[in-house]
Structures are given as structure tokens and as C-alpha cells.
Amino acid sequence: MQLPVETTDSINKISELRNTNLQNILKKEIDKNALWKGLVAKNLMAIGIVDLTDMSNIKYAGINDNLMMYAASLPKIAVLLASMDAIENGELEDTKEIRKDMRLMISKSNNAATTRMIDRVGYEKIEAVLRAPKHKLYDEETGGGLWVGKRYGGGGDTNREPLKNLSHAATTMQVCSFYYQLVMGNLISDERSKEMLEIMKDPALHHKFVNTLDKIAPRAKIYRKSGSWRNYHSDSALVWGPNRRYIIVALIDNDFGEKIIRDLVVPLERVMKKARNLEKETKI
């Protein structure tokens, strides 16, 4: 199966893809679970989904999707993006060592490799790439977004984000936007988007979303980055298979966050299927 990259001159913002039916069905599904409903109400849980089944009619929905939370290792995708941008612009030499560190950073979430990449590109570069008008992966006017302002290890200076003083942050909307822009070939270039997807493919860690996807979608390609620290649990995945094509993202502040994320996959798939069926019915 080919990498899911669509070449296009311009793309919609992720917020412009919000679908009313998908949004309503998502809320109803989450509200069925008392724990999830309570976490959402307390701003301890955020979700984002993008249905890519029909690439000419991409649909987005989210709950607390502009709520920026501590996201542990998930924002390492921002370091990947900044590193690729630096390579593209001749600011960082493209070597086997750097390619190895980028893969270790994403697939195995290796902190030492990530810290080496952060030190190579610097906080100023990471922030500039995240704030770039083309990508807008961090924007105060929409609640913040992706941010990396601290090494994944001891020592060193910090560059915490300005809204909540977080070191490693994300909103589900901007993580969805990251994956969506990858699919559309909009992160740096079509070729660099493909390279980043290749690095993110076949994650070495099989927990959270991947634990469930291994069982229900063994033939699907999974492009993924997750994170956990204490009670903070996050996961994000682009799933590209014969019967499913979507992006799912979850941020949870709860001791049982890993299990919650595992348990979200089937309900989120059900939400997207219901929305597609409803759309078909209204067209008849």
C-alpha cells in the first residue's frame, strides 16, 4: 500500500473541515461513558478525529480540542518537523546518525535521541517552525497547540510556551492538523512529508491505540506518536488500511489514561461509520 500523501497546491485549515454530524455523533458516543463524560467536563480529556475515507470530503470533529494539555512525548513530532525543516533549508546536515536519532525519537520514543535532536536544532527553530503561517501548529488565538520547550532529560535551558508555561504541550486539534498536513503533503514539502511518514510508520511501542489496532486492524499501516508521564497519557495515530482511513488523537489526565485510550478506538471508529451512513441516507 502506498504512503497516503496527496499532492495539492493548497489545503483547508483543519478547523474548516469540522463536520456537524460527525461532531454531534462524537459527543453522544463519549457521553455514553460516565467516566469519559466526567473527564471531558473537568477538562481532563480531549479528543480529535479526522475521517479520511473520502479524500474529497475530509471530515473533522473534536471535543475539548483547543484545550492545551501536558502531552509528554507526543510533541516529539514537533522536533521531527523542525529537524526536517532544518535539513530542507541546509541548517542541519542530513547524516545517517541524524536519521537514526529521528527514528529512535519517534518509534521508540527514545529521550536521549530526542534531546540530541533538540540540541542540534534549538528551541528558537522549533518555535519558529510551529508558529510558521503555513503550518500554524501553535497559535495563542486558538488555545496554543504543539510545543517543545524542554529537553527530554536533565539540565539545559528551557523555552516554555507562553499560555500555560508548559514544556511539552499539545491540543488535539493541532495534532490532528499535523497528521492531516502530512497526508496532504503540506508539511515542508510533499517529499519531506513522505519522509516523516516513513519515520513514523510501524511504531515499536504497542500500547494505547496500537494495542487495539493490532487486534482489529492487523493489515492497516499505522503512523504514530504517543506519550506518558505520571497521570498524563496521550496518543495520536494515522491509520491507513483496506477498510479504515482516519486520524485519531487523545489527551488524558487520569491514572487510567492508557486503558481509556485503548478503549477509545472502537467507539471512535463507530462514530465515523455512523456519520458516513447518515450522510448517505440524507443524499438518498
Side-chain angles (χ1 to χ4, degrees), residues 5-261:
V5 175
E6 297 274 322
T7 303
T8 182
D9 292 332
S10 62
I11 66 171
N12 293 320
K13 294 178 182 178
I14 194 77
S15 58
E16 295 170 352
L17 301 174
R18 194 181 295 273
N19 180 272
T20 301
N21 288 334
L22 188 63
Q23 185 71 40
N24 292 340
I25 294 168
L26 174 61
K27 185 179 184 307
K28 288 179 182 178
E29 188 70 34
I30 296 303
D31 283 351
K32 288 179 184 177
N33 185 299
L35 172 60
W36 300 354
K37 183 179 180 180
L39 289 173
V40 166
K42 295 175 183 176
N43 287 339
L44 299 175
M45 180 174 179
I47 300 167
I49 57 176
V50 185
D51 190 348
L52 302 168
T53 304
D54 179 358
M55 293 299 290
S56 65
N57 183 27
I58 298 172
K59 297 185 284 289
Y60 167 77
I63 294 176
N64 280 344
D65 50 344
N66 281 328
L67 172 67
M68 188 168 53
M69 299 172 65
Y70 181 76
S73 290
L74 190 157
K76 289 175 182 178
I77 57 177
V79 182
L80 175 64
L81 175 59
S83 301
M84 278 293 184
D85 190 89
I87 290 171
E88 176 76 6
N89 290 300
E91 300 161 356
L92 182 66
E93 186 179 357
D94 193 353
T95 65
K96 288 183 179 179
E97 181 183 8
I98 281 178
R99 290 282 171 167
K100 181 180 178 181
D101 273 352
M102 288 193 292
R103 176 63 182 172
L104 284 170
M105 173 175 70
I106 298 300
S107 180
K108 295 187 176 181
S109 202
N110 184 281
N111 285 339
T114 308
T115 295
R116 287 193 293 270
M117 293 309 304
I118 290 171
D119 289 347
R120 286 170 180 139
V121 297
Y123 297 131
E124 187 176 335
K125 174 67 176 181
I126 296 169
E127 179 177 352
V129 170
L130 293 175
R131 288 185 179 274
K134 179 182 179 182
H135 304 137
K136 276 225 167 174
L137 293 170
Y138 184 91
D139 182 5
E140 284 95 337
E141 292 184 6
T142 58
L146 274 169
W147 190 274
V148 172
K150 186 176 181 293
R151 300 162 93 228
Y152 284 87
D157 295 335
T158 62
N159 179 37
R160 294 174 180 270
E161 60 79 35
L163 289 179
K164 293 186 175 181
N165 200 40
L166 294 172
S167 56
H168 306 125
T171 64
T172 56
M173 176 182 281
Q174 295 304 345
V175 178
C176 282
S177 181
F178 177 94
Y179 282 92
Y180 162 64
Q181 291 187 63
L182 269 183
V183 171
M184 303 306 288
N186 194 62
L187 287 188
I188 306 170
S189 67
D190 179 79
E191 187 57 38
R192 294 301 183 191
S193 292
K194 288 179 179 178
E195 290 178 21
M196 283 186 277
L197 279 168
E198 192 64 30
I199 289 169
M200 297 180 72
K201 185 173 71 173
D202 300 329
L205 304 178
H206 288 252
H207 55 4
K208 301 175 189 169
F209 285 151
V210 179
N211 179 277
T212 301
L213 288 164
D214 282 343
K215 299 169 186 174
I216 68 171
R219 294 171 59 198
K221 289 290 183 184
I222 300 171
Y223 308 82
R224 182 264 191 136
K225 187 70 197 81
S226 66
S228 285
W229 185 72
R230 295 183 179 176
N231 51 301
Y232 295 99
H233 300 272
S234 57
D235 207 353
S236 61
L238 164 62
V239 182
W240 197 265
N243 302 310
R244 41 177 60 82
R245 292 184 178 184
Y246 58 75
I247 298 159
I248 51 176
V249 182
L251 302 174
I252 313 284
D253 178 358
N254 183 269
D255 290 339
F256 299 100
E258 195 277 337
K259 182 180 185 304
I260 293 170
I261 291 173

